[in-house]
Amino acid sequence: MLNFFAAAPRGYEYALSLELAELGATNIKESVAGVYFSAPLDLAYRITLWCRLASRIILVIYKGPCESPEQLYNAAYCVDWQTHFSNKSTFSIDFHGLGGFINNTQFGALKIKDAVVDRFRDDGSARPDVSRVDADFRIDAHYRRNEITLGLNFSGPALHQRGYRTNVGEAPLKENLAANMLVRSGWQKNPQTLFDPFCGSGTLLIEAAMMACDIAPGLQRKSFGFEHWLRHDVKGWDALLEEAKARASLGKTRCDIQFYGSDIDSRMIALAKGNADAAGVFELIDFKVINALNVSVPAETGYLISNPPYGERLGNTTELLQLYYQLGDKLKAEFGGWQVGIVNSDTELLSCLKLKADKQMKMFNGQLECAFNLYTLHANSTRRVDPANIKQLGAPSEAAQPFVNRLKKNVKQLEKWAKKEGVDSYRLYDGDIPEYNVAIDRYLDHVIVQEYSAPAEIPESVTKRRITDVLLSLPSALDISPEHIVLKTRERQKGSNQYQKREDETLERITQEYGAKFKLNLKGYLDTGLFLDHRLTRKLVGQKSSGRDVLNLFAYTGSASVHAALGGAKSVTTVDMSNTYLNWAKDNFELNNLAGKQYEFVQANCLHWIKTCHQTFDLIFIDPPTFSNSKRMEDSFDVQRDHANMLVNLMRLLNPEGEIIFSNNKRKFKLDKAVLSAANIHVQNIDDKTLPLDYKRNPHIHNTWLIKHAKG
């Protein structure tokens, strides 16, 4: 009798212990992320070949206390390694666990390696070679609570790698997670029609078909860890493989279960068919390319088990919320009598199904914690909607009605105003109702929702519910497609943080503002390339620019420079530290057919540039960040602390009759009038002239002054 540890993701332990018992294991004991058990060698082979839930099987060689590097070394040294593998075999060490004297897994692995090599040498043999990749013999070491467990990786490569899946889609479902879903849903004990309307590369259906056909999950694997183990029973293993092949052949002829899979992506269906063919179950599964909301019920009763899309990489947040809401309606309207199992890492999405779960379980897909919910759809369920109208948009909770009413009121007021102003990008809502602390901006045919961080005392579940209500409200309230709604989560920004790139995806649009055109990127950055609250300030720059030399500092994407050029400026100098945004500014100039030597673009630290510049200007626009500690700056910049000194230095570049338009977005900002007055600088607050109508509801972030040389 040998002792083993079957490792598995957290949340699998109970089901794995039952599976091991059914396979014949004894002395079963659940642990964290795995199960200990005992079995003779022939049964251990069978378990390794037939276990569907484990990630790997470890043959335990040593287990004992370990409270120091010396104890770790001695534990590894005391094992007679030459009875397990030859010095002609390569070996490697997988070390798991931290704590105590182990603060680096590489340190633990190195100690064990030294002990193994020394033991071979002291026994009079040449040392074996270490290989980090594809080693013949893999030693598994697990350190936890001052105890070390040493073993042989009996199974070899991860057991979820069955061998049939050569290509997968984005965010694939691991094979053992699919198997666990089938086990915990009850389908394995009661196999019947199975449907997956988001089948992706087909993993769940293939795993189910293999179960129904009595196909061993490890039958197509190319290698196992025990193959270079000196105690390996080749004949016994080969006999077990032949038995498994015979069972699979017989099982496929006897299988009468119907399997149905669909996905909206034809590429995924092609992958699924290829994987099913490689697994030997292609003829058992009916795959179709179709939207999940348009599928037909394949049987009177059955199991619908699926892994619908979730996460930013798999869809726009608003689209996903609408999808789950509509899916819930679809299930209630048409799948009465069915059992449903849905896995998802976002419980808020699951709540949008509006279904009451019979069971809620936690499972891990790799490192990602997921919820697996089971539902019973009773045949006499009351339908919330007519099936013919299943594509209707989701609705928010009743608590969100004040938000909806306020949004509609704002839209009614602002749409006419924006058209009259000649702008097509503007703010619709900015935390008007404290419970719904978001900013909503319209950019042509798209809407950007910016979610501000909630106070710490507000439970996360409440904030998630509120943002869900917001996103479910917008399509109908604004008559806009869910796919045209972009969610961005932001904190109150400090300095250049507002410019940081957030993802690789881009969504470019061209917006118009008082005759100027600007390139927007609605997804690539937290901000879009245009600060909407500066709209009237930019217009003022344009009005004051005719025949003047204009300087734009901290220029971002150069929108104020464009207005200056269109306003007839003699020259425009645009300065920013980011080459990315200077190139964006150049694109904006090109959009407006502005070209010539009179337009200069300078990449520089603006504060340093002010001190070294020898030009003078008639009009200067400066909109510095609230705070910046960019790596390109020698010192940090705080607009409240540093603005007065900056403006005093800037006056050197201003012609006698020139003007500075100074703006910033710091809440509760106070201009240091005493210092400026002492420097013979005249200041005039012009907030009332530069605050657009769409920002009058929240004026605290808009500060603008007109600054000149004091006369006399």
Side-chain angles (χ1 to χ4, degrees):
M1 191 68 71
L2 302 171
N3 296 317
F4 294 88
F5 178 72
R10 284 177 291 166
Y12 291 41
E13 296 91 346
Y14 174 71
L16 177 56
S17 66
L18 295 179
E19 182 182 37
L20 291 171
E22 290 180 0
L23 289 169
T26 57
N27 299 325
I28 296 170
K29 181 182 178 182
E30 293 180 32
S31 183
V32 177
V35 177
Y36 287 98
F37 68 95
S38 298
L41 182 57
D42 59 340
L43 180 57
Y45 284 146
R46 185 175 296 277
I47 289 172
T48 303
L49 182 62
W50 284 92
C51 187
R52 301 182 189 276
L53 302 181
S55 299
R56 63 186 188 276
I57 305 294
I58 305 300
L59 169 61
V60 178
I61 298 174
Y62 175 90
K63 189 174 185 179
C66 182
E67 299 182 6
S68 68
E70 292 74 25
Q71 274 192 303
L72 176 60
Y73 176 91
N74 291 336
Y77 184 86
C78 76
V79 176
D80 187 1
W81 294 106
Q82 290 198 75
T83 65
H84 292 286
F85 72 102
S86 165
N87 62 355
K88 295 181 181 179
S89 298
T90 58
F91 78 102
S92 65
I93 295 139
D94 299 316
F95 195 98
H96 313 277
L98 296 171
F101 70 96
I102 299 290
N103 55 19
N104 187 307
T105 57
Q106 291 183 347
F107 169 77
L110 183 61
K111 275 293 179 184
I112 295 172
K113 186 269 293 182
D114 290 343
V116 172
V117 169
D118 290 348
R119 179 60 189 264
F120 268 90
R121 284 174 174 167
D122 292 349
D123 286 345
S125 299
R127 59 161 287 174
D129 290 330
V130 175
S131 176
R132 295 185 179 181
V133 180
D134 296 329
D136 299 326
F137 189 89
R138 299 179 69 96
I139 297 172
D140 190 274
H142 191 274
Y143 176 79
R144 186 168 181 261
R145 294 180 180 176
N146 295 325
E147 186 175 70
I148 189 69
T149 302
L150 300 175
L152 156 67
N153 187 337
F154 196 76
S155 55
L159 283 174
H160 73 81
Q161 297 172 7
R162 315 292 203 213
Y164 63 77
R165 197 167 72 170
T166 56
N167 291 295
V168 297
E170 211 169 354
L173 191 71
K174 286 189 179 294
E175 293 87 337
N176 56 344
L177 173 57
N180 198 22
M181 291 165 62
L182 293 164
V183 170
R184 299 305 301 273
S185 69
W187 182 89
Q188 186 189 39
K189 292 292 186 183
N190 181 30
Q192 53 184 286
T193 300
L194 181 66
F195 179 37
D196 182 357
F198 301 93
C199 70
S201 56
T203 304
L204 189 137
L205 293 165
I206 293 170
E207 288 292 315
M210 291 174 66
M211 287 181 181
C213 294
D214 199 24
I215 299 175
L219 190 57
Q220 294 192 44
R221 284 169 56 88
K222 295 181 180 179
S223 64
F224 291 87
F226 52 69
E227 291 174 339
H228 289 273
W229 184 43
L230 292 180
R231 303 179 190 180
H232 175 40
D233 178 5
V234 177
K235 289 184 179 180
W237 172 246
D238 288 344
L240 190 62
L241 286 176
E242 291 304 315
E243 175 199 312
K245 291 176 184 177
R247 286 175 59 173
S249 179
L250 180 62
K252 284 199 287 186
T253 62
R254 293 180 174 179
C255 180
D256 59 358
I257 306 298
Q258 299 296 311
F259 300 93
Y260 299 91
S262 62
D263 199 280
I264 197 171
D265 190 338
S266 60
R267 296 169 299 175
M268 289 296 98
I269 292 299
L271 286 178
K273 289 180 177 180
N275 291 337
D277 189 39
V281 295
F282 174 79
E283 66 277 7
L284 299 177
I285 308 173
D286 182 7
F287 287 112
K288 289 183 179 179
V289 179
I290 189 172
N291 188 318
L293 300 178
N294 296 331
V295 298
S296 300
V297 184
E300 191 170 322
T301 60
Y303 279 75
L304 187 154
I305 305 177
S306 195
N307 173 38
Y310 53 85
E312 291 182 1
R313 288 177 61 83
L314 292 174
N316 176 296
T317 302
T318 310
E319 290 180 89
L320 290 177
L321 290 170
Q322 295 289 348
L323 170 64
Y324 277 75
Y325 188 93
Q326 295 168 55
L327 178 62
D329 281 338
K330 175 83 174 181
L331 295 176
K332 291 194 73 172
E334 301 181 26
F335 282 79
W338 279 63
Q339 301 293 316
V340 173
I342 302 292
V343 69
N344 198 294
S345 69
D346 189 338
T347 55
E348 192 59 39
L349 287 176
L350 288 174
S351 72
C352 289
L353 291 171
K354 303 298 182 182
L355 299 173
K356 184 178 180 181
D358 301 326
K359 290 183 180 180
Q360 296 176 308
M361 292 165 275
K362 287 185 179 180
M363 295 182 182
F364 279 77
N365 188 19
Q367 297 299 314
L368 184 65
E369 181 178 332
C370 298
F372 182 51
N373 286 8
L374 301 179
Y375 309 91
T376 299
L377 302 179
H378 300 289
N380 60 351
S381 294
T382 302
R383 296 179 176 181
R384 286 191 288 137
V385 296
D386 186 329
N389 194 33
I390 203 67
K391 288 187 177 181
Q392 74 170 26
L393 297 176
S397 64
E398 292 183 8
Q401 196 57 49
F403 163 77
V404 175
N405 293 340
R406 177 61 65 89
L407 182 61
K408 288 182 176 180
K409 178 181 177 182
N410 291 352
V411 170
K412 186 176 182 180
Q413 177 187 20
L414 292 171
E415 278 186 340
K416 294 180 180 178
W417 163 82
K419 187 175 182 180
K420 183 179 179 181
E421 285 286 296
V423 299
D424 50 22
S425 297
Y426 50 93
R427 176 149 293 185
L428 288 171
Y429 176 94
D430 195 357
D432 298 29
I433 298 176
E435 289 79 7
Y436 295 92
N437 192 25
V438 298
I440 302 174
D441 295 323
R442 168 168 276 165
Y443 291 92
L444 293 84
D445 58 342
H446 279 70
V447 164
I448 303 261
V449 180
Q450 299 178 54
E451 180 188 14
Y452 293 110
S453 295
E457 64 270 16
I458 306 295
E460 184 180 1
S461 59
V462 174
T463 60
K464 282 189 173 182
R465 179 67 260 170
R466 288 172 177 172
I467 192 62
T468 297
D469 282 341
V470 167
L471 296 175
L472 289 174
S473 302
L474 292 179
S476 57
L478 301 180
D479 191 23
I480 190 172
S481 169
E483 64 184 19
H484 285 182
I485 299 172
V486 179
L487 173 65
K488 298 182 180 183
T489 302
R490 68 185 300 166
E491 298 177 354
R492 300 292 180 184
Q493 294 299 307
K494 294 183 178 181
S496 61
N497 286 352
Q498 60 194 349
Y499 308 143
Q500 291 178 2
K501 196 165 186 178
R502 289 301 194 266
E503 54 184 274
D504 293 332
E505 186 179 6
T506 61
L507 176 62
E508 294 188 353
R509 290 290 187 273
I510 304 299
T511 189
Q512 298 201 43
E513 172 185 287
Y514 302 126
K517 297 178 182 179
F518 298 113
K519 183 181 80 171
L520 304 171
N521 187 347
L522 303 186
K523 288 189 176 181
Y525 296 80
L526 187 54
D527 277 307
T528 62
L530 189 68
F531 297 139
L532 299 181
D533 63 306
H534 288 173
R535 188 186 308 110
L536 289 180
T537 310
R538 288 189 291 270
K539 183 180 182 182
L540 181 63
V541 169
Q543 291 170 341
K544 288 179 172 288
S545 292
S546 181
R548 304 175 94 179
D549 293 312
V550 180
L551 170 64
N552 182 9
L553 288 166
F554 299 99
Y556 190 31
T557 59
S559 52
S561 298
V562 169
H563 273 285
L566 292 176
K570 185 167 62 175
S571 71
V572 180
T573 302
T574 302
V575 186
D576 196 274
M577 192 159 52
S578 167
N579 194 49
T580 298
Y581 289 108
L582 280 179
N583 286 332
W584 197 328
K586 293 175 184 178
D587 290 343
N588 282 334
F589 266 67
E590 186 176 343
L591 265 178
N592 290 275
N593 299 314
L594 298 169
K597 295 181 179 180
Q598 69 272 35
Y599 305 131
E600 184 180 6
F601 300 88
V602 180
Q603 181 184 7
N605 177 331
C606 291
L607 298 177
H608 183 263
W609 188 88
I610 290 172
K611 296 177 182 178
T612 59
C613 177
H614 299 294
Q615 297 173 257
T616 57
F617 301 89
D618 303 306
L619 178 64
I620 300 174
F621 175 59
I622 181 167
D623 177 47
T626 299
F627 178 84
S628 179
N629 58 355
S630 170
K631 294 179 181 178
R632 294 184 181 179
M633 295 180 66
E634 296 177 1
D635 301 308
S636 66
F637 173 81
D638 183 292
V639 72
Q640 183 63 72
R641 180 191 68 199
D642 301 323
H643 75 277
N645 184 56
M646 177 187 68
L647 291 172
V648 169
N649 289 333
L650 188 58
M651 296 303 291
R652 183 179 61 82
L653 308 185
L654 187 67
N655 288 326
E657 299 301 320
E659 299 173 294
I660 295 175
I661 298 176
F662 168 53
S663 176
N664 72 77
N665 292 86
K666 179 177 175 59
R667 293 173 181 271
K668 300 181 180 179
F669 175 82
K670 292 184 178 180
L671 190 73
D672 195 336
K673 295 181 180 179
V675 171
L676 297 180
S677 178
N680 205 29
I681 298 173
H682 177 267
V683 298
Q684 175 190 355
N685 184 275
I686 54 172
D687 287 355
D688 57 335
K689 297 180 180 178
T690 57
L691 184 65
L693 176 65
D694 48 332
Y695 279 83
K696 288 188 181 295
R697 302 183 307 278
N698 189 6
H700 306 294
I701 62 169
H702 188 85
N703 311 300
T704 313
W705 285 266
L706 190 63
I707 298 175
K708 303 178 181 179
H709 292 288
K711 294 184 178 181

